[in-house]
Amino acid sequence: MPDDRLAGPPADLELAELHTSLEDPALASMTFLNEVTGRYPKALSFAPGRPTEEGFDVEAVHRYLRRFCDHLATDRGQSPEQVRRTLCQYGRTSGIVHELIARQLEVDEGLRTDPESIVVTVGCQEAMYLVLRALRRDERDAVLAVSPTYVGLTGAARLVDMTVLPVASGSTGIDLRDLAAQVRGARERGLRPRACYLVPDFANPSGLSLDLGTRRELLALAEREDILLLEDNPYGMFHDGSGRLPTLKALDTRRRVIHFGSFAKTVLPGARVGYVVADQRVGHGQGRVQGFAEQLSKIKSMVTVNTSPISQAVVGGALLENDFSLERATARSRLVYRRNLAHVLRGLETRFGACGSVSWNTPSGGFFIVVDVPFTVDDELLERSGRSFGVLWTPVSHFYDGKGGRNQMRLSCSSLDSAQVEEGLNRLAKLFVDKGVLGVDTGTDSTPGCSSVSM
Amino acid sequence: MPDDRLAGPPADLELAELHTSLEDPALASMTFLNEVTGRYPKALSFAPGRPTEEGFDVEAVHRYLRRFCDHLATDRGQSPEQVRRTLCQYGRTSGIVHELIARQLEVDEGLRTDPESIVVTVGCQEAMYLVLRALRRDERDAVLAVSPTYVGLTGAARLVDMTVLPVASGSTGIDLRDLAAQVRGARERGLRPRACYLVPDFANPSGLSLDLGTRRELLALAEREDILLLEDNPYGMFHDGSGRLPTLKALDTRRRVIHFGSFAKTVLPGARVGYVVADQRVGHGQGRVQGFAEQLSKIKSMVTVNTSPISQAVVGGALLENDFSLERATARSRLVYRRNLAHVLRGLETRFGACGSVSWNTPSGGFFIVVDVPFTVDDELLERSGRSFGVLWTPVSHFYDGKGGRNQMRLSCSSLDSAQVEEGLNRLAKLFVDKGVLGVDTGTDSTPGCSSVSM
């Protein structure tokens, strides 16, 4: 059989006649990074931002489902017929676990929110899509995003043809001076900067977190410049044990913040349940006002109709089982990530500590560390790293929309065990030797400025 | 407390500065129709296109999940750890039940398809969104749609700012002469008609089906005019027992058809699992070709990342349990719909048979009947029908993008039992009396041309 990819019948459609997002590196990123992992299944991978599988349990899925059905019967007084309907039938567009999510936000974040302002979505990704779709009216609308930026935000923006304007992260997680300058510069160019996207806790990929003062200043700036803040909070629970800072939404008194949540890291990714808190008021003319959440729900009805109630039930059951505390639900995985993060940081120090040309940041939590290296980090090197050295990681350039991060790699600590971390770093060191950064331990230091490592 | 909808703080956002789809009747349709149902919970409803709940069973959900996990272990040789990962972790963007779906299409439809050309989606709605997003490059791209049109197609088109051009359905389910004329007319106006959307079996809302000859002619026309056909097939299984005609995709030898499938009516809506078969080849220049399914998958990665593997497992388990035959899985519900359809048709005949100003079509299967009446059928009448007469139905105008169907109501037969059908039609007759179409049975025929009904 001939390979259809290369020969065979002519094309039915031309890429040049399909939506431009399909030619964009942002959309290729996700697919490329997944494919690389698939091509080197035996490689040790610091690449994926996926959670540890230590807590995964098929029986827990069944248990969560039963727990939620019990809740429907006991707490909400549903008859067996109503329980069946809730789980199996079409349902409320904005979701059926919004009230449980509101309780979780109050328990964990001290955030009191009207459940009607919550839209439950197919993962946080759909929430980002809905918000950008709503905010992008025409070609003048732009979204700001702290750079490097989670590629899912950039990709969603591409789908709605919305310009993404990068904002420097600086050392505080967001360079407020740059943000103000970007907003004003955009307005001068005739653009309408609508919102600024950021991950205030243990950002992906930078690992940076905003301190309390920066959070307050950012809220004041958003008010002053009349923009919204899009707060994405997938990693907040994975702190170092010293507690969490309040979310931007918890500090928000002026409805400036749209808050995205995900249960992918705190419960399980397989449910594909996320949400958005959107308590903004939308004016309809003649003094009529509706919630922004209702607008997002209208868009959702034409994207996915509603989030699977079975999936929602799984997440709902997990919330019920943990008395609405994700802090409690994540107690075990938090320790895994803390241990792994410390392990990777220690391992980097051991191997590259004396090598002045290699450096890295030291996040206090989350999944990610960024390593700066004196060579080009691109997709080609990643392929070679997988093929020849059996170790994977993520080129940070994917988070810069192709315009930065060419000397940085992201190491994720979330999905390896201790032995794998150790072996993975050994393999990484071999790659570094190959790139001429480290010398092989032959008894002599072969690379100026760097200590040698034992391979 | 003041009502925030009317008074309170000023708006944070203005509708006029959000995406235009939010001002469009198509997006309001779904929400309005849902809300009406919610406002009159005691009304008998001929409105929803939802499936019967007779087969719903919480334990079946658990059983399907277990069956799929057994399949992973037994047929695919996955270890317990791999089974956990498949169910709980992030997964393949295009889905994990694509091979099972390919088998079902072969068993039920005689359709042989490469599983790689299937993208599993969050309901059929996401599939429609992905295809329209891909096909809409700029303002010249348009999609044709047999009118009246399922509002989900119109809504998805609004989200990508794509023009929808109506095509007459005529008496054959699609007026091929009008289709050709619309394609040519659009091209003359500088538009690019990319595809034509239709439901060939028991269409929503018209109930019409295409005969075999019309299917073949439509495929020939699509080839001649160089357009794709978007075949949506949610109701095909609900025939009258005399068997099904081949789908357009099964007749398609030139990759002209993109086939949408849904498990909402055949397994259960609560899983929110649908799919698209997209075997078209996309040229990338320099002779390189990729599958259209791969392009759709790239878009999906930025909308929902992947469809919940837990939801997919539920559907996969149901397919396994029924030896891949939805014809078999739907044996019971098919009888329910057949019985209900016959019951409603008989009940209409009894009540309105002698009334020349009221008529209806007689679909041979599916969920829907369209009733033509001599008065205006709009949202206001629906509200009154729910409030004063305790019966709900759907104004067909919602399926005409506001430009037709002003004297038609859609009756759905899918979600009532026999007693409810009988009582529902009695209530409908009262509405008709109120509108002056029928006389009350006082022993005299008070409305010329119509027999009276016993109330």
Side-chain angles (χ1 to χ4, degrees), chain B residues 318-338:
Chain B
L319 289 174
L320 289 158
E321 192 168 301
N322 288 283
D323 295 330
F324 305 101
S325 172
L326 290 178
E327 184 79 32
R328 177 176 151 175
T330 56
R332 184 173 159 188
S333 50
R334 180 161 46 251
L335 286 180
V336 171
Y337 302 136
R338 220 171 128 181

Side-chain angles (χ1 to χ4, degrees), chain B residues 105-143:
Chain B
L105 289 171
E106 184 160 6
V107 167
D108 281 324
E109 313 284 352
L111 171 59
R112 298 192 68 164
T113 187
D114 179 357
E116 293 296 320
S117 71
I118 295 173
V119 181
V120 186
T121 52
V122 181
C124 181
Q125 187 65 37
E126 190 192 22
M128 295 197 293
Y129 173 82
L130 298 179
V131 168
L132 296 187
R133 174 64 295 175
L135 292 179
R136 198 281 190 188
R137 185 174 177 98
D138 63 38
E139 67 286 352
R140 290 170 296 176
D141 295 301
V143 62

